[in-house]
Amino acid sequence: MQMLWYPKCSTCQKARAWLEERQIPCEFRDIKLENPSAEELRRWHAASGLPLKRFFNTSGLVYKELGLKDRLPGMDEEEQMALLATDGMLVKRPILVGEDFVLTGFLPKEWEGRLG
């Protein structure tokens, strides 16, 4: 299992602590230093069953600076994937990637239900 995270993010820190408290083995990848590729994002999006918008960090500075709230609706999925792959700070975090699931954001109940 892999968790993409930003070490300075308090939500990501809580997610890591949650995994460590439960002794759930996980590889950690700094999303800012090694942002996901468009191909990874395509795979994760398909596995997650979530709308692509859930992969965007809508509260992040880069999202706001680029005016994506207004721009995304006019972009097709491939354009959105390419954009997400340009900057890890655009991507919702943490992302937890397992063999047969992908979770975006840290929702303890959701994580408990999946990893319980």
Side-chain angles (χ1 to χ4, degrees):
M1 189 163 32
Q2 182 180 60
M3 185 175 98
L4 285 83
W5 74 316
Y6 180 53
K8 295 179 182 178
C9 166
S10 61
T11 301
C12 292
Q13 292 168 3
K14 288 176 190 171
R16 183 173 182 150
W18 188 93
L19 290 168
E20 289 173 349
E21 285 167 11
R22 288 157 181 77
Q23 299 180 346
I24 297 172
C26 192
E27 173 191 324
F28 297 94
R29 174 174 157 188
D30 187 325
I31 201 164
K32 186 170 182 167
L33 299 178
E34 191 182 344
N35 58 295
S37 69
E39 182 53 42
E40 286 175 313
L41 290 162
R42 276 187 208 90
R43 282 196 319 268
W44 299 340
H45 176 239
S48 73
L50 297 170
L52 187 54
K53 181 163 180 168
R54 288 275 308 270
F55 280 80
F56 279 89
N57 179 10
T58 57
S59 60
L61 292 176
V62 178
Y63 183 90
K64 291 174 182 175
E65 287 170 359
L66 294 176
L68 294 180
K69 179 181 177 189
D70 298 321
R71 290 180 50 209
L72 280 183
M75 297 171 73
D76 67 29
E77 197 169 279
E78 276 307 304
E79 290 172 312
Q80 291 181 34
M81 287 286 183
L83 181 61
L84 276 172
T86 65
D87 189 335
M89 298 309 281
L90 279 173
V91 182
K92 177 79 171 172
R93 56 186 187 265
I95 297 179
L96 190 64
V97 181
E99 282 191 35
D100 61 348
F101 68 90
V102 175
L103 302 174
T104 62
F106 178 54
L107 301 169
K109 266 188 172 175
E110 186 180 16
W111 285 38
E112 188 68 43
R114 176 55 74 175
L115 301 169

